[in-house]
Amino acid sequence: MLSHLAVAQFARPNKAIDIDYLALVDKTIPGLAATFNGRFSRGVPCPKCGGSDRFNFSRSPKWGDKTFCRHCAPKGMHPLEYVMWLYGFESREAIDFLKGMATKVGPARTEIKVIELRPLDSAMAEKHHATPDNGWRNYFHGRGITNQLIDLYQLGFNTKWSRYSIPNWLVNPTTGVRECWGIQYRIRPILEERMKQAGKKVSKYLSETGSHNQMLFNGDYVNRKINVCLVVEGVLDCITLRRYGIPACAAFQGNNPHKAWRTEWNKYLRNIGTILIIPDNDASGMGELIALSKLNDIPRSRIHRLPDNFKDVGKLIESWLPTCDEKELRKRLVNWLDPNGLGMLKPSFEQTANSATT
């Protein structure tokens, strides 16, 4: 499929150049096209700034073909923008290049400089966690998250933005120090509903400047020898499930999940017997598409669906919280996840501790 870009406005009005954009990018990054699944490619090193997986190719019916680099081209580039960015061309040069792109593609003009990824200052997450409790903990309690888990994950409240603070922690394998690699700020539900009713666009999550939003939430927790792990959409659902001794992880991506799953995250799941991918029940069917995409990239995985009428795992648990004690709620979760009684979900050694009262 050719990507259509009206670039000839610089040369011939009302004309266009048809570009096989994927083939063009593949000449610069050999092998990238082989990872393309029809919607996006896997992440690869950026041809300009390096890294390990920050550059990818995507296809959208609305926006057409684009390339992205999380660091130097986060808004995406069409073919003309791409060759101007990569080779330092002026628009005239870029048009001539695209017209003759069958010729051999030369090296980029800019030397690749690898940018070292650094964690955030954990003091930011600790500051939001230390916000005096004027009711913000009730939001997490309503999702089934105990005070002990609020403290463990350093959940909090950002008073400047009036949003709930959700940091992502990973242990540095070299130093053993727990590092904060990103913070998402979740809008208050009451404000979210008001904005929707007013027809306003809602940014459910905002990210702290410098956050690395292409990482796995709960990666360290699930990185152990266990029978079953859930892959869900919501990071807070992972914390709630931990309360009941059920390991779960999720992509930490805020409002821009342009890739559902990154294969480098599989290193956290290598000791797990079965991975259950839980799609969200949404009217658009996007949850099912995202789950199918993950199914292709996660070994030993299968899709396990929610009961009807529940949007996500969090809503399922919230429906049981008012009438179920700890033991009964876990029993219902296990019956849903292991309906044949195979004993896949044995109680976690942490379950008693994490189920402390709110």
Side-chain angles (χ1 to χ4, degrees):
M1 178 178 178
L2 295 180
S3 172
H4 192 66
L5 176 66
V7 299
Q9 57 184 312
F10 296 101
R12 295 176 297 151
N14 303 319
K15 297 291 184 180
I17 301 172
D18 285 326
I19 302 300
D20 186 345
Y21 194 8
L22 184 57
L24 168 64
V25 176
D26 200 46
K27 286 184 179 181
T28 313
I29 308 174
L32 180 140
T35 73
F36 183 64
N37 66 6
R39 292 177 55 223
F40 42 73
S41 72
R42 290 179 181 169
V44 296
C46 174
K48 285 200 71 171
C49 68
S52 61
D53 66 346
R54 62 185 62 162
F55 183 89
N56 80 309
F57 176 93
S58 72
R59 175 165 291 160
S60 164
K62 183 176 181 180
W63 301 112
D65 292 356
K66 276 192 172 186
T67 52
F68 294 83
C69 173
R70 295 200 303 271
H71 282 258
C72 51
K75 294 183 178 180
M77 300 174 288
H78 289 301
L80 181 66
E81 298 165 313
Y82 175 72
V83 296
M84 292 175 68
W85 167 80
L86 181 62
Y87 294 100
F89 288 153
E90 298 296 328
S91 59
R92 178 81 256 180
E93 291 180 289
I95 292 171
D96 290 341
F97 177 87
L98 291 174
K99 288 178 180 177
M101 64 170 287
T103 62
K104 184 178 179 180
V105 177
R109 292 184 180 180
T110 304
E111 181 181 354
I112 293 176
K113 181 181 179 181
V114 177
I115 299 175
E116 182 183 358
L117 299 182
R118 295 182 180 275
L120 295 176
D121 182 356
S122 60
M124 285 190 288
E126 294 163 359
K127 174 185 175 181
H128 301 320
H129 178 66
T131 299
D133 183 16
N134 60 354
W136 64 261
R137 284 183 177 248
N138 290 336
Y139 167 71
F140 297 110
H141 294 163
R143 299 188 64 127
I145 299 174
T146 64
N147 276 327
Q148 180 166 356
L149 287 169
I150 290 173
D151 295 339
L152 178 64
Y153 284 87
Q154 295 282 282
L155 304 177
F157 191 75
N158 183 329
T159 54
K160 179 181 178 180
W161 291 353
S162 192
R163 285 172 173 253
Y164 302 105
S165 171
I166 308 167
N168 186 25
W169 302 93
L170 287 171
V171 174
N172 186 311
T174 302
T175 64
V177 175
R178 192 172 79 152
E179 298 171 335
C180 180
W181 283 91
I183 305 176
Q184 291 175 5
Y185 299 116
R186 204 253 189 237
I187 192 171
R188 290 175 294 133
I190 187 170
L191 180 57
E192 179 183 9
E193 187 59 30
R194 287 174 184 169
M195 291 178 69
K196 286 181 177 178
Q197 290 179 357
K200 296 180 180 179
K201 183 179 178 181
V202 178
S203 293
K204 191 172 182 179
Y205 290 96
L206 298 177
S207 295
E208 178 62 51
T209 302
S211 289
H212 301 283
N213 283 348
Q214 300 296 327
M215 292 191 170
L216 189 66
F217 185 83
N218 246 11
D220 290 336
Y221 174 59
V222 302
N223 187 12
R224 52 199 170 101
K225 191 173 182 179
I226 48 180
N227 290 332
V228 176
C229 172
L230 275 58
V231 173
V232 298
E233 289 297 304
V235 296
L236 292 180
D237 295 342
C238 296
I239 303 176
T240 305
L241 286 164
R242 182 169 180 169
R243 171 181 178 177
Y244 302 102
I246 298 175
C249 59
F252 190 82
Q253 300 194 125
N255 282 327
N256 188 29
H258 68 272
K259 181 156 176 53
W261 188 265
R262 296 184 172 271
T263 52
E264 61 266 28
W265 297 342
N266 290 334
K267 65 185 178 183
Y268 296 107
L269 311 180
R270 60 185 180 272
N271 295 317
I272 300 171
T274 301
I275 293 92
L276 300 180
I277 301 170
I278 314 297
D280 280 1
N281 281 332
D282 44 36
S284 67
M286 184 57 67
E288 194 72 17
L289 291 176
I290 291 173
L292 289 171
S293 175
K294 290 176 180 176
L295 189 65
N296 290 329
D297 289 329
I298 304 176
R300 305 179 310 285
S301 66
R302 60 183 173 86
I303 293 176
H304 190 85
R305 292 176 176 81
L306 289 157
D308 293 339
N309 304 321
F310 292 102
K311 180 184 179 296
D312 51 40
V313 175
K315 293 299 182 184
L316 177 65
I317 293 175
E318 286 176 41
S319 73
W320 290 334
L321 279 171
T323 58
C324 295
D325 60 19
E326 201 81 23
K327 184 176 180 181
E328 176 61 23
L329 203 151
R330 175 181 160 79
K331 180 180 177 181
R332 292 192 182 190
L333 284 170
V334 171
N335 287 341
W336 161 53
L337 294 167
D338 186 16
N340 297 319
L342 301 179
M344 297 188 300
L345 289 152
K346 296 179 180 178
S348 165
F349 68 93
E350 291 186 323
Q351 186 184 350
T352 303
N354 287 333
S355 64
T357 59
T358 58

